Amino acid sequence: DQQVKQNSPSLSVQEGRISILNCDYTNSMFDYFLWYKKYPAEGPTFLISISSIKDKNEDGRFTVFLNKSAKHLSLHIVPSQPGDSAVYFCAASPSGTYKYIFGTGTRLKVLA
Amino acid sequence: GAVVSQHPSRVICKSGTSVKIECRSLDFQATTMFWYRQFPKQSLMLMATSNEGSKATYEQGVEKDKFLINHASLTLSTLTVTSAHPEDSSFYICSARRPATGVNTEAFFGQGTRLTVV
């Protein structure tokens, strides 16, 4: 049972355009959400997070949107850069725990 | 720079042998560390929570006698894959949080260890 889903395994975007990565979840007990970036054979690197009391969090080129009623979050990267090419994982944490449940990842390719 | 370091980054071992993977928090003390496993093109799956000075907590379906976890100090957790078999070949990653930061904070991940059992 995949509680965190990233339905797009891959995404290609032109440099300078906006990249939108989506994530859906099923467990209403999740109250903290994160996005990580991962290169092959490396550990994930934290990008941005959002608590369930908010619906938007912004950090530079990265913005995360949370729609609790739809159990959906998205990561917007604008403008996209070739160095953003990587696999992006969303993760969700059940309330009061330190655990993360990861999605299956979306491979982003930013074309120069 | 990296705040969580994992060693080795890559290991190849023979079937039936045991392999130890180390995870260190470099600039903070971590009472809790986490071990994940990732199969190719799949998600990171939480295997166990490593607790300093006490037994690890394993997720459902993870064999605790197969994956031994020791968290003997506040900066080091080890995962030992015992009697490794080819199906144990995977990418193992550890993570830790800075202490006293609450549940809604990000975790830092190690570089990962690629285990290949031949």
Side-chain angles (χ1 to χ4, degrees):
Chain A
D1 177 31
Q2 189 71 28
Q3 297 185 65
V4 179
K5 300 177 184 178
Q6 292 175 257
N7 292 317
S8 298
S10 64
L11 174 68
S12 291
V13 172
Q14 283 296 131
E15 181 179 8
R17 298 291 185 97
I18 184 171
S19 296
I20 300 176
L21 297 100
N22 294 301
C23 180
D24 297 292
Y25 62 96
T26 59
N27 191 338
S28 58
M29 293 300 293
F30 292 147
D31 70 349
Y32 185 58
F33 304 88
L34 311 94
W35 283 94
Y36 279 86
K37 176 180 178 180
K38 186 179 181 299
Y39 294 112
E42 293 184 12
T45 302
F46 171 75
L47 278 176
I48 193 168
S49 64
I50 188 167
S51 166
S52 61
I53 62 174
K54 294 185 175 182
D55 54 19
K56 177 183 176 182
N57 188 26
E58 192 172 349
D59 184 2
R61 296 186 299 115
F62 303 94
T63 303
V64 56
F65 294 92
L66 175 62
N67 182 333
K68 288 188 293 293
S69 60
K71 293 190 175 68
H72 176 84
L73 66 155
S74 60
L75 173 68
H76 292 210
I77 306 173
V78 56
S80 301
Q81 300 172 354
D84 296 330
S85 298
V87 177
Y88 289 77
F89 287 94
C90 69
S93 184
S95 176
T97 78
Y98 290 97
K99 295 183 180 181
Y100 290 170
I101 309 298
F102 280 87
T104 48
T106 296
R107 182 176 300 278
L108 172 66
K109 184 179 288 187
V110 180
L111 307 170
Chain B
V3 297
V4 176
S5 178
Q6 204 171 324
H7 177 81
S9 58
R10 186 184 297 267
V11 59
I12 301 173
C13 71
K14 291 185 177 180
S15 186
T17 62
S18 295
V19 173
K20 181 185 285 188
I21 303 169
E22 293 185 346
C23 179
R24 294 181 186 274
S25 56
L26 299 181
D27 64 353
F28 61 92
Q29 294 180 329
T31 55
T32 305
M33 291 185 178
F34 302 86
W35 287 97
Y36 291 82
R37 179 176 182 177
Q38 185 188 23
F39 290 105
K41 297 184 179 180
Q42 293 190 25
S43 181
L44 287 80
M45 301 297 295
L46 179 64
M47 298 174 65
T49 302
S50 172
N51 304 298
E52 189 269 335
S54 65
K55 291 182 180 180
T57 306
Y58 290 83
E59 295 300 301
Q60 191 174 8
V62 178
E63 299 175 61
K64 58 184 178 184
D65 295 330
K66 174 110 180 125
F67 299 100
L68 300 180
I69 291 173
N70 184 282
H71 195 151
S73 80
L74 287 170
T75 59
L76 174 64
S77 174
T78 61
L79 169 68
T80 301
V81 183
T82 63
S83 187
H85 291 283
E87 57 266 29
D88 299 323
S89 299
S90 188
F91 192 60
Y92 294 87
I93 313 174
C94 68
S95 76
R97 278 184 178 76
R98 295 189 185 281
T101 52
V103 291
N104 286 357
T105 55
E106 71 273 18
F108 298 95
F109 284 81
Q111 307 95 314
T113 298
R114 169 71 61 193
L115 170 64
T116 304
V117 184
V118 298

